[in-house]
Amino acid sequence: MSQRTLITGAQVVFPEGIRAANVLVEGHQILAIDPPSTARVDETVNAKGLHLIPGVIDDQVHFREPGFEHKEDLHTGSLACAKGGVTTFLEMPNTNPATVTIEALHDKLERAASKCVVNFGFYIGATAENVDVLQQAKRTPGIKIFIGSSTGNLLVDSQAALERIFAETTLPICAHCEDESTVRANRERIGSNPSLADHSKIRDHAAALIATQRAVDLAIRYKHRFHVLHVSTAQEVEFLRGRPDWVTAEACPHHLFFQIEDYDRLGSQVQMNPSIKTAADNVALWEGLRSGVIEVIATDHAPHTLEEKAQAYPKSPSGLPAVENSLALMLDASYRGLCTLEQVVAWMCAAPARVWDIKNKGAIREGFDADLVLVDLAKRQTIRNEEQLTKSQWSPWHGVELTGWPVRTWVRGQTVFQNGKVDSDVRGAEAEYQR
């Protein structure tokens, strides 16, 4: 007989609003909302004073396995997810070997099944030559294209190759949008000794906008579902206002909270691709989220060691860890009046489930998977490098106090995080897609 857990006393964030409710979990599913008092219960969780939300779905992470496990691996990345209230992650293909074959995709799925304490999915990467693979791929949320900012065969910037991918495949597509020719021209203009502050001039507003326009044009012409990853500019927000409903977009915490002035304070820790931009861009991204132009918040969690990040620019790599703190950052934003808790749940839970057709996730409903997070909106806690579970063990938000934190996480009905500790023995499951 399956374990039954009753969560009582919480304010529950449902798709239709927040209200007090009791949630009964049986096995890996939500069995009932407000069950009768006679229902059998094995464990009762008193959640008075807390809010219960669906587990966060982070649709853009880089967990570095295989090939770069000294930075992160599937196990350590999933531990950071559990602590941060992320119950499902979708991981990118730029590993070594890159995930550009069915064999490489299945290898990642097998690794994750034995290592990950949260649920998982893996994109298949596009190259200029693997359209036949993209046509056959299953067990994946979709196709990832690097239109700029990649190396080797993952860089796809020829128009002919892009036309084939959009015309001849059916899976949803997402893309890193930075125009490679613009980036190269900017780099050449700046010269042979760029400084870190030049990073946002090399990967400038035009590079992002041109590539986004190019990809959206393809999506519209071929009526192909397309997701713009990590929007970073006000110009992209404005451009996306007129997009059809099969084109969606997302923003990341570093583009919402950091700006070019932060290079002086944080150095290469905030070196990202796309680059951080200006305070005006921060404002525009927030407005884009509130108005529905941008639907999703994801992290683009991309850790490197501090030693790697400390190299002189341009040898310093782009990327930062964020999956452990993304929900807390957004809960703190709601505390400060930048958004509401309902919006946080819409952006981080419901929308990614909808965009990627993930079955039975993203909402608290009877029959849905019991991926749940209790959050304490009054809890104050400071982010500290030494407490990070990501293998890189640092955060650009080190020393920042936030109000609002996850305090307990369930993955498919199993408690994976509680009392500040993650249960390494829990195992998540492969995400399923409604296609």
Side-chain angles (χ1 to χ4, degrees), residues 11 25 36 63 87 104 146-147 149 181-183 186 213 245 274 288 305 325 331 381:
Q11 292 292 313
V25 171
F63 283 168
T87 56
F146 288 88
I147 307 176
S149 189
S181 61
T182 301
V183 170
N186 289 341
Q213 290 173 325
D245 59 9
T305 68
N325 302 301
L331 293 176
Q381 185 171 301

Side-chain angles (χ1 to χ4, degrees), residues 58-62 90 92 229-230 250 252 298-301:
D58 192 332
D59 79 0
Q60 187 183 185
V61 304
H62 301 265
L90 305 181
M92 290 297 169
L229 299 171
H230 42 46
E250 76 184 36
C252 298
T299 62
D300 195 13
H301 174 94

Side-chain angles (χ1 to χ4, degrees), residues 168-190:
E168 299 178 25
T169 66
T170 57
L171 285 170
I173 294 173
C174 62
H176 179 120
C177 294
E178 284 185 293
D179 183 65
E180 194 69 15
S181 61
T182 301
V183 170
R184 289 171 183 163
N186 289 341
R187 188 181 293 123
E188 185 173 338
R189 186 182 69 254
I190 286 171

Side-chain angles (χ1 to χ4, degrees), residues 75-375:
H75 180 63
T76 59
S78 74
L79 294 177
C81 284
K83 180 184 172 186
V86 176
T87 56
T88 302
F89 68 80
L90 305 181
E91 206 259 358
M92 290 297 169
N94 55 332
T95 46
N96 186 20
T99 318
V100 295
T101 65
I102 303 299
E103 293 75 18
L105 173 64
H106 289 178
D107 174 66
K108 277 190 174 180
L109 288 166
E110 290 171 12
R111 289 169 182 257
S114 67
K115 295 181 176 185
C116 288
V117 304
V118 299
N119 307 307
F120 49 85
F122 298 93
Y123 296 95
I124 189 146
T127 75
E129 295 85 27
N130 76 337
V131 168
D132 58 332
V133 174
L134 305 180
Q135 292 170 334
Q136 299 168 34
K138 299 180 181 2
R139 299 175 66 188
T140 177
I143 297 164
K144 167 67 181 289
I145 307 177
F146 288 88
I147 307 176
S149 189
S150 192
T151 56
N153 64 352
L154 276 174
L155 176 61
V156 184
D157 62 348
S158 82
Q159 189 65 24
L162 290 170
E163 295 271 354
R164 278 202 70 197
I165 294 166
F166 276 85
E168 299 178 25
T169 66
T170 57
L171 285 170
I173 294 173
C174 62
H176 179 120
C177 294
E178 284 185 293
D179 183 65
E180 194 69 15
S181 61
T182 301
V183 170
R184 289 171 183 163
N186 289 341
R187 188 181 293 123
E188 185 173 338
R189 186 182 69 254
I190 286 171
S192 58
N193 293 303
S195 67
L196 180 60
D198 290 321
H199 187 69
S200 292
K201 300 173 185 175
I202 294 169
R203 297 185 174 277
D204 65 358
H205 291 71
L209 178 62
I210 290 168
T212 296
Q213 290 173 325
R214 183 184 186 191
V216 170
D217 171 70
L218 287 161
I220 291 173
R221 285 195 285 114
Y222 292 105
K223 293 189 176 177
H224 199 125
R225 285 179 59 187
F226 178 65
H227 187 62
V228 185
L229 299 171
H230 42 46
V231 174
S232 64
T233 70
Q235 291 91 329
E236 289 170 284
V237 174
E238 196 57 37
F239 167 71
L240 289 167
R241 287 190 195 284
R243 89 269 192 265
D245 59 9
W246 64 84
V247 175
T248 53
E250 76 184 36
C252 298
H254 49 272
H255 291 130
L256 293 170
F257 297 117
F258 292 132
Q259 51 197 254
I260 53 176
E261 287 77 13
D262 288 312
Y263 285 128
D264 291 338
R265 181 171 60 91
L266 294 167
S268 62
Q269 288 190 20
V270 290
Q271 178 187 329
M272 292 294 298
N273 299 336
S275 66
I276 58 173
K277 302 298 195 301
T278 69
D281 294 296
N282 298 153
V283 171
L285 291 173
W286 276 107
E287 190 282 326
L289 281 163
R290 296 187 201 104
S291 64
V293 174
I294 299 171
E295 294 94 336
V296 174
I297 289 178
T299 62
D300 195 13
H301 174 94
H304 303 278
T305 68
L306 280 174
E307 291 75 20
E308 290 168 331
K309 293 291 278 186
Q311 296 176 93
Y313 185 82
K315 289 185 178 180
S316 52
S318 294
L320 57 79
V323 74
E324 199 158 338
N325 302 301
S326 59
L327 176 57
L329 286 163
M330 295 308 300
L331 293 176
D332 182 76
S334 69
Y335 170 77
R336 293 186 286 125
L338 293 170
C339 56
T340 67
L341 178 60
E342 295 97 319
Q343 286 173 320
V344 172
V345 170
W347 300 330
M348 302 186 79
C349 310
R354 183 177 66 252
V355 167
W356 300 109
D357 301 320
I358 302 175
K359 285 185 180 179
N360 298 328
K361 297 189 187 297
I364 297 177
R365 287 182 176 145
E366 292 182 358
F368 270 43
D369 291 337
D371 298 334
L372 301 165
V373 184
L374 273 178
V375 298

